[in-house]
Short mmCIF file of all heavy atoms in Angstrom, two decimals:
data_model
loop_
_atom_site.label_atom_id
_atom_site.label_comp_id
_atom_site.label_asym_id
_atom_site.label_seq_id
_atom_site.Cartn_x
_atom_site.Cartn_y
_atom_site.Cartn_z
N PRO G 272 -16.35 -15.10 21.11
CA PRO G 272 -17.67 -15.73 21.03
C PRO G 272 -18.27 -15.61 19.63
O PRO G 272 -17.95 -14.68 18.88
CB PRO G 272 -18.49 -14.96 22.05
CG PRO G 272 -17.82 -13.63 22.17
CD PRO G 272 -16.36 -13.90 21.96
N ASP G 273 -19.13 -16.55 19.28
CA ASP G 273 -19.85 -16.51 18.02
C ASP G 273 -21.29 -16.05 18.26
O ASP G 273 -21.86 -16.32 19.32
CB ASP G 273 -19.88 -17.90 17.36
CG ASP G 273 -18.50 -18.33 16.88
OD1 ASP G 273 -17.73 -17.46 16.44
OD2 ASP G 273 -18.20 -19.54 16.97
N ASN G 274 -21.84 -15.38 17.26
CA ASN G 274 -23.25 -14.99 17.30
C ASN G 274 -23.59 -14.18 18.55
O ASN G 274 -24.65 -14.36 19.16
CB ASN G 274 -24.16 -16.22 17.21
CG ASN G 274 -23.87 -17.04 15.96
OD1 ASN G 274 -23.72 -16.49 14.88
ND2 ASN G 274 -23.77 -18.35 16.12
N ASP G 275 -22.69 -13.29 18.92
CA ASP G 275 -22.88 -12.45 20.11
C ASP G 275 -22.75 -10.98 19.68
O ASP G 275 -21.64 -10.44 19.62
CB ASP G 275 -21.85 -12.79 21.18
CG ASP G 275 -22.00 -11.94 22.43
OD1 ASP G 275 -22.91 -11.08 22.47
OD2 ASP G 275 -21.21 -12.13 23.38
N PRO G 276 -23.87 -10.32 19.39
CA PRO G 276 -23.79 -8.92 18.94
C PRO G 276 -23.33 -7.95 20.01
O PRO G 276 -22.98 -6.81 19.68
CB PRO G 276 -25.22 -8.61 18.48
CG PRO G 276 -26.08 -9.62 19.15
CD PRO G 276 -25.24 -10.84 19.33
N THR G 277 -23.29 -8.37 21.28
CA THR G 277 -22.72 -7.50 22.30
C THR G 277 -21.19 -7.53 22.25
O THR G 277 -20.53 -6.68 22.83
CB THR G 277 -23.19 -7.87 23.71
OG1 THR G 277 -22.65 -9.15 24.08
CG2 THR G 277 -24.71 -7.90 23.79
N PHE G 278 -20.64 -8.51 21.53
CA PHE G 278 -19.19 -8.58 21.29
C PHE G 278 -18.85 -8.03 19.91
O PHE G 278 -17.90 -7.26 19.76
CB PHE G 278 -18.72 -10.05 21.40
CG PHE G 278 -17.23 -10.22 21.26
CD1 PHE G 278 -16.39 -10.09 22.36
CD2 PHE G 278 -16.66 -10.52 20.03
CE1 PHE G 278 -15.02 -10.26 22.23
CE2 PHE G 278 -15.29 -10.68 19.89
CZ PHE G 278 -14.47 -10.55 20.99
N ALA G 279 -19.62 -8.44 18.91
CA ALA G 279 -19.40 -8.02 17.53
C ALA G 279 -20.75 -7.76 16.88
O ALA G 279 -21.43 -8.70 16.47
CB ALA G 279 -18.64 -9.10 16.76
N PRO G 280 -21.18 -6.51 16.81
CA PRO G 280 -22.51 -6.20 16.27
C PRO G 280 -22.78 -6.77 14.88
O PRO G 280 -23.93 -7.08 14.56
CB PRO G 280 -22.54 -4.67 16.27
CG PRO G 280 -21.66 -4.30 17.43
CD PRO G 280 -20.55 -5.31 17.39
N LEU G 281 -21.75 -6.94 14.06
CA LEU G 281 -21.96 -7.52 12.73
C LEU G 281 -22.37 -8.98 12.80
O LEU G 281 -22.80 -9.55 11.79
CB LEU G 281 -20.70 -7.37 11.87
CG LEU G 281 -20.55 -6.04 11.13
CD1 LEU G 281 -19.16 -5.91 10.53
CD2 LEU G 281 -21.62 -5.88 10.06
N GLN G 282 -22.25 -9.61 13.96
CA GLN G 282 -22.69 -11.00 14.12
C GLN G 282 -24.18 -11.12 14.34
O GLN G 282 -24.72 -12.23 14.35
CB GLN G 282 -21.95 -11.67 15.29
CG GLN G 282 -20.47 -11.88 15.08
CD GLN G 282 -19.81 -12.58 16.27
OE1 GLN G 282 -20.45 -12.90 17.27
NE2 GLN G 282 -18.51 -12.83 16.15
N ASP G 283 -24.88 -10.01 14.53
CA ASP G 283 -26.31 -10.08 14.78
C ASP G 283 -27.02 -10.68 13.56
O ASP G 283 -26.62 -10.45 12.42
CB ASP G 283 -26.88 -8.69 15.08
CG ASP G 283 -28.14 -8.74 15.93
OD1 ASP G 283 -28.80 -9.80 15.95
OD2 ASP G 283 -28.45 -7.73 16.59
N ALA G 284 -28.09 -11.43 13.82
CA ALA G 284 -28.89 -11.99 12.73
C ALA G 284 -30.01 -11.05 12.32
O ALA G 284 -30.62 -11.25 11.27
CB ALA G 284 -29.47 -13.34 13.17
N ASP G 285 -30.27 -10.02 13.12
CA ASP G 285 -31.40 -9.12 12.87
C ASP G 285 -30.92 -7.68 12.96
O ASP G 285 -30.47 -7.23 14.01
CB ASP G 285 -32.50 -9.39 13.90
CG ASP G 285 -33.73 -8.50 13.70
OD1 ASP G 285 -33.79 -7.80 12.66
OD2 ASP G 285 -34.59 -8.49 14.60
N PHE G 286 -31.03 -6.95 11.85
CA PHE G 286 -30.61 -5.56 11.81
C PHE G 286 -31.80 -4.61 11.67
O PHE G 286 -31.62 -3.43 11.39
CB PHE G 286 -29.60 -5.34 10.68
CG PHE G 286 -28.23 -5.86 10.99
CD1 PHE G 286 -27.97 -7.22 10.94
CD2 PHE G 286 -27.21 -5.01 11.36
CE1 PHE G 286 -26.71 -7.72 11.24
CE2 PHE G 286 -25.95 -5.49 11.68
CZ PHE G 286 -25.69 -6.85 11.61
N SER G 287 -32.98 -5.12 11.91
CA SER G 287 -34.17 -4.28 11.84
C SER G 287 -34.35 -3.51 13.14
O SER G 287 -33.87 -3.93 14.20
CB SER G 287 -35.41 -5.12 11.56
OG SER G 287 -35.65 -6.02 12.64
N GLY G 288 -35.03 -2.38 13.05
CA GLY G 288 -35.37 -1.62 14.24
C GLY G 288 -34.25 -0.86 14.88
O GLY G 288 -34.39 -0.35 16.00
N LEU G 289 -33.11 -0.74 14.19
CA LEU G 289 -31.99 0.03 14.74
C LEU G 289 -32.20 1.52 14.47
O LEU G 289 -32.86 1.91 13.51
CB LEU G 289 -30.67 -0.44 14.13
CG LEU G 289 -30.21 -1.82 14.58
CD1 LEU G 289 -29.07 -2.32 13.71
CD2 LEU G 289 -29.79 -1.79 16.05
N PRO G 290 -31.65 2.38 15.31
CA PRO G 290 -31.83 3.83 15.11
C PRO G 290 -31.07 4.30 13.88
O PRO G 290 -30.13 3.63 13.41
CB PRO G 290 -31.25 4.44 16.39
CG PRO G 290 -30.26 3.43 16.87
CD PRO G 290 -30.83 2.09 16.51
N PRO G 291 -31.44 5.46 13.33
CA PRO G 291 -30.66 6.03 12.22
C PRO G 291 -29.18 6.07 12.56
O PRO G 291 -28.80 6.47 13.67
CB PRO G 291 -31.26 7.42 12.07
CG PRO G 291 -32.67 7.27 12.56
CD PRO G 291 -32.59 6.29 13.69
N THR G 292 -28.36 5.64 11.63
CA THR G 292 -26.95 5.37 11.90
C THR G 292 -26.05 6.09 10.91
O THR G 292 -26.25 6.01 9.70
CB THR G 292 -26.68 3.86 11.84
OG1 THR G 292 -27.46 3.20 12.85
CG2 THR G 292 -25.22 3.55 12.04
N VAL G 293 -25.04 6.77 11.45
CA VAL G 293 -23.98 7.35 10.63
C VAL G 293 -22.66 6.74 11.09
O VAL G 293 -22.34 6.78 12.29
CB VAL G 293 -23.92 8.88 10.74
CG1 VAL G 293 -22.75 9.45 9.93
CG2 VAL G 293 -25.24 9.50 10.28
N VAL G 294 -21.93 6.16 10.16
CA VAL G 294 -20.62 5.60 10.46
C VAL G 294 -19.56 6.39 9.70
O VAL G 294 -19.72 6.64 8.50
CB VAL G 294 -20.52 4.10 10.07
CG1 VAL G 294 -19.16 3.54 10.46
CG2 VAL G 294 -21.63 3.30 10.74
N VAL G 295 -18.51 6.79 10.40
CA VAL G 295 -17.42 7.56 9.79
C VAL G 295 -16.16 6.70 9.88
O VAL G 295 -15.75 6.32 10.98
CB VAL G 295 -17.22 8.91 10.49
CG1 VAL G 295 -16.14 9.72 9.77
CG2 VAL G 295 -18.53 9.70 10.55
N THR G 296 -15.56 6.39 8.74
CA THR G 296 -14.39 5.53 8.71
C THR G 296 -13.17 6.28 8.20
O THR G 296 -13.28 7.27 7.47
CB THR G 296 -14.63 4.31 7.81
OG1 THR G 296 -14.93 4.75 6.48
CG2 THR G 296 -15.79 3.47 8.33
N ALA G 297 -11.99 5.78 8.58
CA ALA G 297 -10.72 6.27 8.03
C ALA G 297 -10.32 5.34 6.89
O ALA G 297 -10.33 4.12 7.05
CB ALA G 297 -9.65 6.29 9.11
N ASP G 298 -9.96 5.91 5.75
CA ASP G 298 -9.68 5.08 4.58
C ASP G 298 -8.46 4.18 4.79
O ASP G 298 -8.44 3.05 4.32
CB ASP G 298 -9.48 5.96 3.34
CG ASP G 298 -9.49 5.15 2.07
OD1 ASP G 298 -10.43 4.36 1.88
OD2 ASP G 298 -8.55 5.30 1.26
N CYS G 299 -7.43 4.69 5.48
CA CYS G 299 -6.19 3.93 5.70
C CYS G 299 -6.24 3.25 7.06
O CYS G 299 -5.47 3.57 7.98
CB CYS G 299 -4.99 4.86 5.59
SG CYS G 299 -4.87 5.72 4.01
#
Side-chain angles (χ1 to χ4, degrees):
D273 292 325
N274 303 315
D275 180 0
T277 68
F278 184 86
L281 275 169
Q282 292 182 359
D283 206 338
D285 180 10
F286 284 76
S287 64
L289 289 168
T292 298
V293 177
V294 182
V295 184
T296 59
D298 192 51
C299 302

